[in-house]
Amino acid sequence: MPDTPQSPASAAPSAERSRTAEEPRAACVLCQEPSEYPESHRGSHAVPALRRGVEGQRTACSG
């Protein structure tokens, strides 16, 4: 079976992943530990464990 060249659309996700793997990680807004997001990613970032706690507090019944 002959090798088929990858289209630019299918090659883009792997190129994006390698680029983000090389970038420094954004600091968590709560504990300043590196998050899973690169510094170039927009928004405020939290590490997964702290994010679950904050979301739990936000969705808890307050009434």
Side-chain angles (χ1 to χ4, degrees), residues 45-61:
H45 310 291
V47 292
L50 294 176
R51 187 176 335 126
R52 283 190 297 272
V54 170
E55 288 173 359
Q57 288 175 350
R58 210 178 319 159
T59 59
C61 180

Side-chain angles (χ1 to χ4, degrees), residues 30-51:
L30 302 171
C31 69
Q32 299 306 308
E33 292 291 321
S35 69
E36 72 258 21
Y37 298 103
E39 286 183 350
S40 63
H41 193 271
R42 291 184 175 186
S44 58
H45 310 291
V47 292
L50 294 176
R51 187 176 335 126

Side-chain angles (χ1 to χ4, degrees), residues 9-28:
S10 65
S14 63
E16 172 114 1
R17 269 186 255 132
S18 65
R19 182 178 63 86
T20 58
E22 297 171 1
E23 290 184 45
R25 304 284 100 190
C28 173

